[in-house]
Each structure stands twice: as C-alpha cells, then as structure tokens.
Amino acid sequence: MIRKWAMRAIIAYLIFGVAIFLYLFYWADTSIPHALKGTSADPATFLNGRELQLSEEYSRIRNFMFFIATPYEWLFYYLILIFGLSAIFENSAKQISKFFLVRNAIYLFWLSLASFVVMFPLSYLSYTISKSYNISTQLFSGWMKDKFIDFWVQYATMFIIITVLYALMRKYKKRWWLAAWVVSIPFSIFMMFIQPVVIDPLYNDFYPLKDKQLEAKILAIAKEANIPANHVYEVDMSTKTNALNAYVTGVGSNSRIVLWDTTLDRLTDEEILFIMAHEMGHYVEKHIYFGIAGYLLLTFVGLWLTAKIMEKWISRRGKDWKVDKITNISSLPAFLLITSILLFLASPLTNWVSRYQETRADTYAIKMTHDKEAGIRTFQSLTKSGLSQVKPPVLVKIFRYGHPTMLERIKMIEDYPLQDAKSEDK
C-alpha cells in the first residue's frame, strides 16, 4: 500500500512537471500586443536581439524551476510521512534524551538535514543556471556560505516555532490553532523588527550611502513626504548578482531604506530618485500595515484549516505513518505540507493585492518626481539586468508576480497624464 501511494505521488509530480514544461515552453503566449509594438513597453526598443533571446530563455527556465520546486517540496514531506521516516526521527530523538526541548532539537535537525539534502540539487541547478546567464556573480564558496547560514537561521527559527506550537497542541488540544495564531502576532512583529539589524547583516554588508549628495536628494523627498528618515543604506550585492534592486525593510525605529550597489552603479540619480519615491509611496500609503493585517487574517484562516486537515489525516493515516497523534512531533511534515499547499493556493490573492499596492506606489512616484522618462528608463533597466520577460505567461503572473508585469508598469507610466499629477500637488 505504501509503495502504491508513493508511486502515485511520484507519477503525479512527473505529469505535473511535463504539463508545466509544455505550457511554459510551447503553449504560453508571451508576445507583445500589436498596439504596443514600437512603444517604450516593447522590449525590441531597448533590448538587442541577443538580449531578447536570453530574456525569453532565462525567464522560461526560471519559471519552470519555480513551478517544479514547490510540489517537489510537497513530495518530500509526503514521502517522509508515508515511509515512516518522520517517526524514525522522533524515536531517535526519544532514545537520546527524555527532555522535550532536546528531543525537538534533535528531531528538527534530522528533518532539516534531510530537507537540505533533498532540495540541494534544485538549489544548485538554479544557482548554476543563474550563473550561466550572468545574473549571479557569486562564487560557489560564497553561495555555499549563504546556504549554510540559511540552514542555521531557518533551523533556529523553526526550533522556536515548533517548540511553542507543539506545547500549545498539548495544552489546548482542540483550540491549539487559535492559541498559535495569537502567539504568532508578537512573534511576527518581532521578526520584522530584528530582520534589518540582526538577520540581513549575516548575508551582506550594510553601510550608510557613500554618495552624500544623492542621500541629501533622497532625504529631501522623504521630508517632503513626511517620512522620518535620517539615513539611506547601501548594500554590497555586486559580488552576488548583476540584478538591480532597492527596498524598505523593517518597522518602527529599525526601518531602513536600502539600495543595492548595482543599482547605484548603473542607474542615474533621476532613476534612483524614482525608485526611492516608489518605496516611499509604500510608506505613505501604509502598505506595511495593510500587509500585516492581511498576513494576520490569512494566518488565522490558514491555521484553522491546517488544524482541521491535520486531524483528519492523522486519524485516518496516522497508523500507516506510525504517527500516533497530532501532538507527536513526527506529525510536523504533515503540518508543513498542508501549510505550504495553502500558501501556494493563497498566492494568487496575495500577489493580486501586492500588484495593486505596487501600482499605487508607481503612481505615487510619478506624482512625486514628475519624471515619467526616468520611470520608464528604470523599468527598462530592471528588465535588462534581470533578463525578465516583459509579458510573462498568465499562470506565471498569477502565481509568481507580486509586481505588475514590466509591460503593465511601463505602459501605465507612459499613459499617465503628468499634468494631473502636477495639479494634484498644488
């Protein structure tokens, strides 16, 4: 029976992989609408023939890797359960120690190690592909260092989460999901608070922006928007990537405006100011608070659904998986599997909300800078540096894109009546 279910899962995964491959490489339409041919949104106007070919190739491969990686993780958790490996990990932990915290640490180490080994081939393949298309500039040693840091940061975070989670499961039997949701609120805010000052510096060096004239310009528009910012940070990303980026991270006094050094090297001051105005648009429109509220709502629903599904799974299949009850830590792969699937199913909604907010931020940047040309050049440069598709397939947009497509962003800027933006400022 176990072999039959395992074979079914593997076959389903392979069929899905073939279907996604055919969709991305043969069926999906990524052509530019005829009405936009020759406009600033047409990649043929700012990419040469070789760049056009590379952007299509790289985007298809990257999108394919995304769609096969997520269900690959699901397959891993499912096979860990049905072959009883999760129960073996738990029994091993019990034999070593009788203390709850130590058993959790040992179990999680074995599960994390197994996950790292199984997922490593896909991670390495993604790295080598990015390297071959000259997106990644990172040496293998540096990449492995980041993977090593990832492992231990995720391990430490997961240890705290599962220790609290399973303690709540034992105490609150039927309502553990509600208790977990309540606890997740301060924990999530705490993680957002320490992310910029504790976790991010483990991967990269952050320092105040060296170009003080540019910093003064950025702080000037921040002051105009009533944003309490005293410093702008740059981060050394050129040793890892040729892509461009800028962002605002953290909450409260730990919030930071961050520019990648690749962005500083390749974009003009006007283009950088447009990006910064975009990021300030998120602050002004309080997108971070809407994001927190949405996250808490989705977490509430997600934990409730996870609890219901887990109870049914363990009651029906627990004996086959050698997982006696939901409070056994060996049920963790079921929890991770269910939450991962729910997150994937929710991604069309969360991405849609994110795209709406990004459009609002783009609009704010136009109103703030009155420089449509800088906005258009910025998105053209982002497309070129990241070898992005200007018009990705529909499924890719729905499940991957938290930003509008480059076609949509450039067209929106091009069509935006600048006179309206000027009049709104008066």
Side-chain angles (χ1 to χ4, degrees), residues 8 40 141 171 222 227 260 420:
R8 286 176 178 175
S40 57
S141 58
K171 185 172 182 179
I227 297 174
W260 287 11
D420 289 357

Side-chain angles (χ1 to χ4, degrees), residues 347-368:
S347 61
L349 174 61
T350 56
N351 286 339
W352 178 81
V353 172
S354 177
R355 289 196 298 270
Y356 171 77
Q357 292 180 337
E358 294 297 334
T359 300
R360 295 283 298 178
D362 285 346
T363 303
Y364 181 87
I366 299 171
K367 294 176 181 178
M368 174 65 74

Side-chain angles (χ1 to χ4, degrees), residues 130-418:
S130 181
K131 188 90 170 173
S132 66
Y133 279 88
N134 202 34
I135 300 298
S136 173
T137 60
Q138 192 171 24
L139 297 174
F140 177 75
S141 58
W143 181 77
M144 279 302 300
K145 177 185 174 184
D146 282 351
K147 296 295 290 183
F148 181 78
I149 294 172
D150 270 342
F151 178 89
W152 289 109
V153 168
Q154 291 176 17
Y155 175 82
T157 306
M158 280 297 296
F159 174 72
I160 296 171
I161 291 172
I162 68 163
T163 298
V164 174
L165 178 67
Y166 278 84
L168 293 173
M169 284 181 176
R170 291 176 177 178
K171 185 172 182 179
Y172 296 104
K173 305 300 180 182
K174 295 293 183 181
R175 300 289 182 182
W176 63 265
W177 62 271
L178 183 59
W181 177 74
V182 172
V183 172
S184 75
I185 297 173
F187 179 78
S188 299
I189 295 173
F190 173 73
M191 290 300 294
M192 292 177 64
F193 190 79
I194 69 169
Q195 179 85 28
V197 294
V198 176
I199 298 176
D200 288 347
L202 294 174
Y203 298 89
N204 299 99
D205 294 325
F206 291 79
Y207 34 84
L209 185 62
K210 296 173 185 175
D211 187 339
K212 295 305 176 183
Q213 290 185 339
L214 177 59
E215 183 180 49
K217 293 177 182 178
I218 294 172
L219 294 178
I221 63 173
K223 183 178 180 181
E224 186 179 345
N226 296 316
I227 297 174
N230 297 317
H231 296 288
V232 179
Y233 292 86
E234 61 180 284
V235 56
D236 179 18
M237 290 296 295
S238 56
T239 57
K240 295 184 178 183
T241 182
N242 280 317
L244 312 179
N245 197 15
Y247 58 91
V248 175
T249 185
V251 292
S253 61
N254 276 14
S255 59
R256 285 184 172 184
I257 300 173
V258 180
L259 282 160
W260 287 11
D261 61 340
T262 52
T263 304
L264 292 165
D265 291 341
R266 297 183 198 175
L267 297 186
T268 65
D269 282 8
E270 291 74 21
E271 292 162 359
I272 291 171
L273 289 175
F274 186 89
I275 292 177
M276 288 292 94
H278 167 98
E279 296 300 335
M280 291 172 192
H282 288 304
Y283 180 92
V284 170
E285 300 213 350
K286 298 178 172 35
H287 289 164
I288 188 170
Y289 300 108
F290 286 114
I292 291 172
Y295 167 79
L296 294 177
L297 176 60
L298 286 176
T299 303
F300 180 87
V301 175
L303 283 171
W304 175 74
L305 286 173
T306 300
K308 298 298 181 184
I309 297 170
M310 274 189 76
E311 288 172 6
K312 289 184 178 180
W313 273 16
I314 301 302
S315 63
R316 293 180 181 179
R317 301 292 180 186
K319 289 184 179 180
D320 296 333
W321 300 343
K322 298 180 176 62
V323 179
D324 297 331
K325 49 190 176 180
I326 197 173
T327 54
N328 285 16
I329 197 171
S330 52
S331 69
L332 180 60
F335 177 86
L336 296 174
L337 172 59
I338 295 166
T339 53
S340 180
I341 292 174
L342 291 177
L343 283 171
F344 183 78
L345 294 177
S347 61
L349 174 61
T350 56
N351 286 339
W352 178 81
V353 172
S354 177
R355 289 196 298 270
Y356 171 77
Q357 292 180 337
E358 294 297 334
T359 300
R360 295 283 298 178
D362 285 346
T363 303
Y364 181 87
I366 299 171
K367 294 176 181 178
M368 174 65 74
T369 65
H370 307 301
D371 195 344
K372 291 169 57 172
E373 290 74 18
I376 290 170
R377 292 196 308 270
T378 297
F379 292 135
Q380 289 175 340
S381 296
L382 289 171
T383 301
K384 190 171 185 175
S385 66
L387 293 180
S388 305
Q389 284 176 311
V390 170
K391 182 177 177 288
V394 174
L395 286 181
V396 173
K397 176 184 173 181
I398 291 173
F399 284 98
R400 285 206 69 189
Y401 273 51
H403 290 72
T405 67
M406 288 302 182
L407 181 76
E408 293 167 337
R409 301 182 87 173
I410 295 174
K411 185 178 185 300
M412 189 277 289
I413 295 176
E414 196 171 52
D415 294 345
Y416 195 88
L418 191 56

Side-chain angles (χ1 to χ4, degrees), residues 33-144:
H34 182 74
L36 296 179
K37 293 284 187 180
T39 67
S40 57
D42 182 357
T45 63
F46 58 89
L47 298 179
N48 61 40
R50 179 61 175 164
E51 289 169 337
L52 282 169
Q53 178 186 349
L54 290 176
S55 66
E56 285 295 316
E57 286 179 3
Y58 179 67
S59 294
R60 285 171 179 164
I61 294 171
R62 185 179 59 176
N63 292 332
F64 178 68
M65 293 294 295
F66 166 81
F67 278 108
I68 66 169
T70 302
Y72 184 70
E73 182 183 29
W74 301 345
L75 182 63
F76 164 73
Y77 289 135
Y78 183 65
L79 295 181
I80 282 282
L81 280 171
I82 68 172
F83 281 116
L85 293 176
S86 185
I88 291 174
F89 294 159
E90 183 178 29
N91 290 333
S92 172
K94 286 180 177 179
Q95 291 174 5
I96 294 173
S97 176
K98 63 179 181 179
F99 296 106
F100 179 65
L101 290 177
V102 177
R103 291 204 305 265
N104 284 356
I106 295 169
Y107 172 87
L108 184 60
F109 176 78
W110 289 124
L111 183 65
S112 300
L113 183 62
S115 176
F116 179 86
V117 171
V118 170
M119 299 302 295
F120 184 83
L122 281 183
S123 298
Y124 179 70
L125 181 59
S126 180
Y127 163 72
T128 55
I129 290 170
S130 181
K131 188 90 170 173
S132 66
Y133 279 88
N134 202 34
I135 300 298
S136 173
T137 60
Q138 192 171 24
L139 297 174
F140 177 75
S141 58
W143 181 77
M144 279 302 300

Side-chain angles (χ1 to χ4, degrees), residues 5-19:
W5 282 104
M7 188 58 64
R8 286 176 178 175
I10 293 170
I11 291 173
Y13 175 73
L14 293 175
I15 291 173
F16 172 80
V18 171

